[in-house]
Amino acid sequence: MNSRIKQPITVLFILSCLSSMVICSAPVFADEEQPVLLQTESQTEVEVGVNPLTQLPETKQIDIVGPHPIHEEIYHKTIYSLSGHPKYPDDFQHLDYVNPNAPKGGVIKLAEIGSFDNLNRFASRGAPERNSGELYDSLFTNTEDDITSFYPLIATSITYSNQYRWAEVAINPNARFQDDKPITAHDVVFTFDKFMTEGVPQYRVYNKGVTVKAIDDYHVRVDIPESDREKLLSFVGSMRVIPKHFWQNHDFSEPLSTPPVGSGPYYISDYKMGQYVVYRRNPNYWARDLPINKGLDNFDEKRIDYYMDNSVSLEAFKAGEYDLRDEDQPKNWFTQYQGKYFDANHIIKQEKSVKTATDTKWLAFNLQKELFKDIKVRKAITLAFDFEWLNHAFYYDSYKRPYSFFENTIYAAKGKPTEQELKWLNPYKHIIPEAVFKNAYSIPKSDGKGFNRDNLLKAAELLKQAGWVIKDGKLINVKTQQPFEFELISYLGNDIKYAVPFQQNLARLGITMKITLLDSAQHLRRVRERDYDMVARDYYAVNYPNSSLSMFWGSEYLNSSWNASGLHNTAIDSIIAEIIKNVDNQEALVPLGRALDRILTQEYPMIPMWYNSKSYYAYWNKFGQPAIQPTYSIGIDSWWYDADKAANLPKNREH
């Protein structure tokens, strides 16, 4: 529902996915910010000023709690960046990609595939309504044209030091929850404690040793156990705040059958579990006139209908049941988006080339299964996936195949390792594949005719080397005499046209693959319990190597559902630790990222399927749009309802 972009670390907190309409990119690095104060033993104050964003006087004194080095440099900022410099200055009036005078009103109707049984995005069980996390504002926020910077929302400023062990945040006294109760530092502390005690396990693991304390009603202090610039600044910037007065009476880990109290621009006004939800714009939203929000959130209502099947959803869109659809199936795009409404320009089609980091699709092996522990087996099954034929037969040659976990960035491994990369790889020669030290990961292309003969021959040889032989047309393990059989699980309603041809290729090798489609609740439960052999998986865009990689690949997060394959080892952990230390040093980060990429890909933890070379979307012609489109999304939040355009639509599509 909300297309604002959060930093990768936000995944740890909100556990939500980026929209397929969002395009991500690697940032440009620059030197560290200049300090505003050089701390001495006796200095405990931050300079007083007026925040140009809110015109509220800042607190006259902020006590710097605890001992600090004599020469600790203190930074006091209203806007800050993880890398480079923020795009917008402190006194900016509105974002470049909005119309600050956009009219408010109208309805936008959207769609989701699947179902939901609760309104708590952070519940540890059940299938949450996917947009319910957006009910809560965060301390700071990103923009869709500056994804590495943080701009004030609930907070007005941040104070931290060059030791990156602590930060103090000022809360806007005007900030309110949707029931008009003030948002205070005590709510921030409560939020952190609630996530640490009742949130998902990976949040507790990642934030072990972190403390959050209220200095007074409108100042909060964060301390982390070790110096970590990105972790500290991302934690503060992306932290959503939940109301203590509501959630103190509810278990945060449990599903919620009624709408919670939020703090964002929209509240839930109507819903039917599993079928639809209506978000209503709050006319009294406290932050509506902040520069970061001017020209955004223009619709009075956002209605989201859930469809169990993607094909049904497409037909519903063409019939006018909802207004905007992003299409990830090229064949649909080229064959189904046509008819009288398209010819009359009642429905507008748009394409946007993908030139930046983007979500990619993979099939993840469950490496906890004995069947997949031999890398030769994983290579063989990967060779059986005939991307070239699938792309031509089903997808109009619109897909590209990912060969990196940093696809479309400078951090993707290329050629042979450089000396700088070998510095990080050589100490782990004894535990990482030999192929890591050769050319970067690639998979031999098939002839695209559907036979895939050469790759299947290579796969058969690898399986033979791994101890598997053909008996009566079935692949049998020499030692156990067990047949090679496994299950692939995916969402009910997802595109699985690839699955049957993949299944047939595996059958030629004597392998039996069962295909199981599950509803969203069943799928989520099995993924959380790691109850699968193979699972279809989106790998979300990584703009640059950062601490979120710990969650995807680190040993500490092995039980996290984010690490779908379960791949982990000392080499991966150690290189990620170095990445975290050097996240603001591009010279070091490039070889570190490429070294990690080599290990991850050459371990064959997942089969690369594809990503779209273009983003496709269509909408009913009832919206006004700003002249400038943001870099990293299509900017839905800046659109508005255009009554004149709507009047030209067929009568059933005016609203």
Side-chain angles (χ1 to χ4, degrees):
M1 181 185 74
N2 191 325
S3 60
R4 285 180 188 162
I5 299 175
K6 299 291 182 183
Q7 278 300 108
I9 193 64
T10 309
V11 174
L12 294 170
F13 192 84
I14 67 172
L15 297 179
S16 66
C17 306
L18 296 179
S19 163
S20 59
M21 293 190 181
V22 171
I23 305 171
C24 300
S25 172
V28 176
F29 287 78
D31 294 335
E32 173 62 276
E33 57 271 80
Q34 293 299 311
V36 297
L37 176 67
L38 183 63
Q39 176 79 353
T40 67
E41 257 184 318
S42 61
Q43 287 173 315
T44 59
E45 296 184 350
V46 174
E47 294 176 345
V48 182
V50 175
N51 185 339
L53 293 172
T54 61
Q55 294 302 305
L56 291 170
E58 295 174 356
T59 302
K60 293 182 180 180
Q61 176 170 319
I62 300 177
D63 292 327
I64 307 301
V65 181
H68 297 286
I70 291 177
H71 297 298
E72 188 171 18
E73 294 175 345
I74 308 298
Y75 307 104
H76 180 67
K77 293 186 169 292
T78 55
I79 300 171
Y80 66 94
S81 183
L82 293 180
S83 60
H85 300 285
K87 175 176 181 177
Y88 296 99
D90 285 356
D91 60 351
F92 81 105
Q93 298 301 304
H94 60 79
L95 303 173
D96 288 349
Y97 58 87
V98 305
N99 171 7
N101 300 311
K104 305 290 185 182
V107 177
I108 184 170
K109 297 178 181 179
L110 305 170
E112 296 277 8
I113 304 299
S115 184
F116 68 98
D117 59 15
N118 89 87
L119 301 174
N120 175 16
R121 185 65 183 84
F122 311 108
S124 297
R125 64 184 184 88
E129 200 290 303
R130 295 177 187 174
N131 306 280
S132 55
E134 300 297 330
L135 288 167
Y136 310 101
D137 275 341
S138 50
L139 293 175
F140 292 80
T141 188
N142 310 119
T143 72
E144 294 176 15
D145 58 354
D146 187 11
I147 61 175
T148 62
S149 297
F150 290 97
Y151 296 82
L153 192 51
I154 293 174
T156 59
S157 64
I158 181 175
T159 302
Y160 58 96
S161 85
N162 63 343
Q163 302 300 307
Y164 306 112
R165 292 284 305 276
W166 61 270
E168 292 180 356
V169 180
I171 307 297
N172 192 327
N174 289 334
R176 293 289 186 274
F177 290 109
Q178 290 167 345
D179 58 2
D180 205 36
K181 292 188 180 342
I183 301 174
T184 70
H186 308 291
D187 292 296
V188 178
V189 174
F190 174 82
T191 299
F192 176 72
D193 292 342
K194 200 72 166 172
F195 269 90
M196 288 296 284
T197 56
E198 298 174 9
V200 293
Q202 55 264 41
Y203 184 87
R204 294 193 289 273
V205 172
Y206 186 83
N207 293 307
K208 183 179 180 181
V210 174
T211 61
V212 180
K213 297 179 180 179
I215 299 173
D216 57 34
D217 287 349
Y218 294 103
H219 291 92
V220 67
R221 180 183 172 94
V222 176
D223 288 272
I224 63 175
E226 297 178 353
S227 178
D228 189 328
R229 180 180 185 276
E230 187 212 10
K231 180 174 182 177
L232 177 69
L233 299 183
S234 294
F235 176 87
V236 171
S238 62
M239 187 178 188
R240 294 184 186 271
V241 183
I242 65 174
K244 178 179 180 179
H245 62 275
F246 177 87
W247 280 106
Q248 64 186 350
N249 300 317
H250 294 84
D251 187 335
F252 201 55
S253 65
E254 290 297 310
L256 196 64
S257 60
T258 56
V261 175
S263 58
Y266 288 89
Y267 63 93
I268 295 176
S269 62
D270 188 20
Y271 64 96
K272 187 171 183 179
M273 285 296 184
Q275 296 186 30
Y276 71 87
V277 62
V278 176
Y279 288 84
R280 183 80 183 172
R281 184 168 59 85
N282 180 9
N284 299 316
Y285 176 46
W286 72 273
R288 63 185 181 276
D289 294 325
L290 291 183
I292 196 68
N293 285 328
K294 285 183 179 178
L296 297 178
D297 307 317
N298 301 313
F299 300 106
D300 279 347
E301 278 189 5
K302 296 182 179 182
R303 179 187 171 105
I304 302 165
D305 289 298
Y306 277 72
Y307 295 87
M308 294 300 294
D309 184 88
N310 194 45
S311 298
V312 173
S313 173
L314 173 57
E315 293 306 313
F317 169 74
K318 291 161 63 178
E321 294 299 318
Y322 63 97
D323 300 320
L324 171 69
R325 176 181 170 87
D326 66 306
E327 181 57 69
D328 61 358
Q329 299 299 314
K331 187 172 183 178
N332 284 345
W333 184 253
F334 290 109
T335 63
Q336 300 298 313
Y337 286 73
Q338 52 188 275
K340 62 180 181 179
Y341 291 141
F342 295 91
D343 295 340
N345 286 328
H346 292 324
I347 300 178
I348 305 297
K349 295 172 61 177
Q350 296 286 300
E351 298 182 9
K352 187 173 183 178
S353 295
V354 175
K355 299 178 180 179
T356 55
T358 185
D359 296 352
T360 49
K361 293 184 180 295
W362 305 67
L363 294 173
F365 297 102
N366 183 353
L367 300 187
Q368 291 184 358
K369 300 287 186 176
E370 190 65 35
L371 190 63
F372 297 131
K373 289 193 174 179
D374 192 324
I375 194 171
K376 293 187 181 71
V377 169
R378 303 198 296 273
K379 285 183 179 180
I381 295 177
T382 299
L383 287 168
F385 190 89
D386 191 349
F387 166 77
E388 284 73 27
W389 181 80
L390 289 167
N391 192 30
H392 182 70
F394 293 148
Y395 305 119
Y396 281 67
D397 294 317
S398 292
Y399 285 154
K400 292 183 179 180
R401 197 169 198 184
Y403 293 107
S404 168
F405 290 106
F406 299 110
E407 194 69 26
N408 277 2
T409 76
I410 61 174
Y411 307 101
K414 299 177 181 179
K416 293 183 178 180
T418 63
E419 290 185 12
Q420 293 92 336
E421 292 171 51
L422 290 172
K423 170 187 173 182
W424 305 112
L425 296 172
N426 282 330
Y428 305 104
K429 271 188 174 182
H430 60 294
I431 62 169
I432 59 180
E434 289 184 14
V436 167
F437 298 91
K438 300 177 182 178
N439 282 321
Y441 174 81
S442 65
I443 299 168
K445 294 182 178 181
S446 74
D447 59 12
K449 297 179 180 179
F451 299 105
N452 200 21
R453 183 175 182 276
D454 290 345
N455 281 348
L456 290 178
L457 287 173
K458 294 173 184 175
E461 178 59 29
L462 286 168
L463 291 167
K464 181 179 179 181
Q465 294 173 17
W468 294 86
V469 296
I470 293 288
K471 287 185 179 180
D472 300 324
K474 296 290 185 182
L475 194 64
I476 304 296
N477 187 278
V478 173
K479 292 182 180 179
T480 66
Q481 294 299 299
Q482 294 298 311
F484 199 126
E485 299 175 346
F486 71 94
E487 178 189 32
L488 165 66
I489 66 170
S490 184
Y491 279 118
L492 184 67
N494 270 8
D495 168 49
I496 58 160
K497 290 191 290 291
Y498 66 86
V500 171
F502 183 39
Q503 183 185 54
Q504 292 170 344
N505 273 345
L506 291 171
R508 294 175 188 175
L509 296 170
I511 296 172
T512 299
M513 183 182 79
K514 178 184 176 183
I515 303 168
T516 301
L517 301 180
L518 305 166
D519 64 36
S520 55
Q522 291 175 312
H523 188 273
L524 185 59
R525 177 187 61 79
R526 289 190 60 177
V527 168
R528 284 171 173 168
E529 296 174 1
R530 206 171 284 275
D531 179 19
Y532 56 86
D533 301 318
M534 179 180 285
V535 61
R537 196 70 167 177
D538 285 349
Y539 189 82
Y540 300 112
V542 178
N543 305 296
Y544 62 97
N546 59 75
S547 59
S548 67
L549 294 168
S550 297
M551 183 180 59
F552 292 129
W553 303 107
S555 296
E556 287 184 294
Y557 298 90
L558 184 58
N559 293 323
S560 164
S561 59
W562 290 94
N563 188 344
S565 68
L567 173 65
H568 69 292
N569 60 44
T570 304
I572 293 171
D573 291 339
S574 298
I575 293 177
I576 291 175
E578 291 296 329
I579 283 172
I580 293 170
K581 293 177 186 176
N582 290 278
V583 76
D584 58 342
N585 179 359
Q586 187 184 28
E587 185 177 352
L589 201 60
V590 170
L592 279 165
R594 292 178 179 178
L596 178 64
D597 195 33
R598 291 180 189 279
I599 298 174
L600 297 179
T601 52
Q602 297 292 0
E603 286 281 6
Y604 286 78
M606 299 197 283
I607 300 173
M609 291 203 290
W610 53 70
Y611 66 92
N612 225 323
S613 60
K614 292 184 178 180
S615 59
Y616 304 115
Y617 63 96
Y619 57 90
W620 282 82
N621 192 13
K622 54 188 274 190
F623 303 113
Q625 300 177 37
I628 298 175
Q629 190 176 81
T631 308
Y632 302 107
S633 80
I634 66 172
I636 302 169
D637 284 349
S638 63
W639 294 13
W640 61 90
Y641 177 80
D642 188 318
D644 292 335
K645 288 183 177 180
N648 293 321
L649 295 178
K651 289 300 180 183
N652 66 322
R653 289 304 304 139
E654 289 183 15
H655 303 289

